[in-house]
Amino acid sequence: MFETNEKHINKRVPKKRKYKLKAGIRKKLLIFGSILVVLIIAAIVFSRPETGEKSEETSETKEPKAIGTIRVDYYKDLNKLHLKYAKANGITGFKSNNDFKENIKKYVDKDQLVKIETCDYYVVDKLTHSHPYLTPDAAELLDDIGKRFQEKLDEHNLKKRYYQITSLLRTGESQRKLGRSNVNASENSSHLYGTTFDITYARVFRKPKLQEDLEIEDGPAIKLLSEAIGELRKEGRCVVVTERKERCFHITVR
């Protein structure tokens, strides 16, 4: 009786089946698994911080807005000295803004004036009381300041910076308007003759673009700019006055 029940029970218990994947399916799973591993590795590699040019751009954007303290040399060449060289080496000048518009092409065609534009040395500001023109000698001095400045930055292992030109050639009309708000703007200014320009020492730029987010108050770099200007002054290339209120170097070519 016992044996009969045992046999009956054995018949009711199903046997476990062993499943085997077909060769084709196994192969597909292996290929899929390999692809998945490769994708995971690639994701890890490409998610790491990039090196080279892009990482340099990232580090530039993280630069502080100010580095060190701004200290410059105070040059004291008086206005009469600036006027002496401006009248001797410059143009006759424009009485009004209309006079400038009507005759600027003649001066450029005769190589008496050259246009000043943002370049690999400096950034030209949005000019409200002057026009971006200088005599060829003044333009050459402007470039030489840039070259001397970049050389000094390299010597001191500092990052490349670009100084800002805040004023250039003025007309008699724009000079009178400026005189109402700027005590340093005398009616008879060397800016009238195309021989004079202003470089601010309040800031420099990280790139040659007039963008507020590229401005930086770089004390060590601005000190070197001041030294570069002073050296050219000592070499007899220009006369300079450091204007404290306007925070600029007022420079006239000799």
Side-chain angles (χ1 to χ4, degrees):
M1 195 73 179
F2 178 78
E3 290 179 348
T4 304
N5 289 338
E6 187 179 13
K7 288 179 181 178
H8 180 69
I9 292 170
N10 288 341
K11 287 180 180 179
R12 293 177 62 184
V13 176
K15 294 182 178 180
K16 292 182 178 179
R17 295 182 181 179
K18 294 182 179 179
Y19 293 95
K20 291 185 178 181
L21 294 173
K22 293 180 180 180
I25 296 175
R26 283 203 306 272
K27 187 176 181 180
K28 289 180 180 178
L29 287 174
L30 285 171
I31 294 172
F32 177 77
S34 300
I35 293 173
L36 185 61
V37 170
V38 171
L39 290 174
I40 292 171
I41 293 172
I44 293 171
V45 171
F46 287 105
S47 65
R48 292 177 181 174
E50 295 182 12
T51 57
E53 186 177 345
K54 289 187 178 179
S55 64
E56 289 176 3
E57 290 177 2
T58 302
S59 64
E60 284 184 357
T61 58
K62 291 182 179 179
E63 275 194 277
K65 292 294 290 182
I67 299 175
T69 303
I70 295 177
R71 292 187 177 89
V72 297
D73 299 291
Y74 286 95
Y75 306 112
K76 301 177 181 179
D77 295 326
L78 299 178
N79 186 50
K80 63 180 181 180
L81 194 57
H82 286 262
L83 282 172
K84 172 186 174 181
Y85 292 110
K87 291 178 179 179
N89 303 319
I91 62 172
T92 304
F94 301 96
K95 294 181 180 180
S96 66
N97 293 331
N98 284 333
D99 182 19
F100 170 82
K101 291 176 183 177
E102 291 173 4
N103 296 293
I104 182 59
K105 190 176 183 302
K106 297 176 185 177
Y107 282 85
V108 172
D109 291 343
K110 293 179 181 179
D111 294 325
Q112 293 178 308
L113 290 173
V114 294
K115 190 169 185 179
I116 304 301
E117 298 177 293
T118 295
C119 66
D120 203 36
Y121 297 130
Y122 51 79
V123 176
V124 179
D125 199 4
K126 291 181 180 178
L127 305 173
T128 56
H129 291 83
S130 66
H131 302 277
Y133 291 89
L134 289 174
T135 62
D137 287 344
E140 183 180 0
L141 172 65
L142 192 56
D143 284 346
D144 287 344
I145 291 173
K147 293 173 186 175
R148 191 76 60 96
F149 177 45
Q150 296 301 338
E151 288 172 0
K152 286 183 171 293
L153 290 173
D154 290 340
E155 289 170 4
H156 289 77
N157 295 316
L158 295 179
K159 290 185 178 181
K160 195 165 186 177
R161 303 300 190 203
Y162 306 83
Y163 54 87
Q164 184 179 19
I165 311 302
T166 54
S167 189
L168 293 151
L169 171 67
R170 299 174 189 164
T171 66
E173 178 185 347
S174 62
Q175 183 66 26
R176 286 191 296 274
K177 289 180 180 179
L178 188 61
R180 297 168 191 165
S181 58
N182 183 357
V183 295
N184 289 321
S186 61
E187 188 170 340
N188 192 12
S189 169
S190 54
H191 278 287
L192 298 172
Y193 302 92
T195 56
T196 303
F197 50 88
D198 293 346
I199 297 176
T200 181
Y201 61 78
R203 72 194 71 85
V204 287
F205 284 74
R206 294 187 288 110
K207 289 184 180 181
K209 293 180 182 179
L210 189 62
Q211 295 178 198
E212 188 175 347
D213 61 335
L214 295 176
E215 295 179 8
I216 182 168
E217 297 175 14
D218 190 334
I222 292 171
K223 185 63 171 70
L224 293 178
L225 172 62
S226 175
E227 291 176 6
I229 293 169
E231 288 174 2
L232 289 163
R233 173 179 177 265
K234 191 173 182 180
E235 293 167 13
R237 296 285 307 282
C238 58
V239 289
V240 187
V241 61
T242 305
E243 297 183 356
R244 298 192 184 194
K245 183 178 180 181
E246 300 303 320
R247 300 188 74 188
C248 73
F249 298 108
H250 176 80
I251 305 169
T252 299
V253 68
R254 291 184 62 172

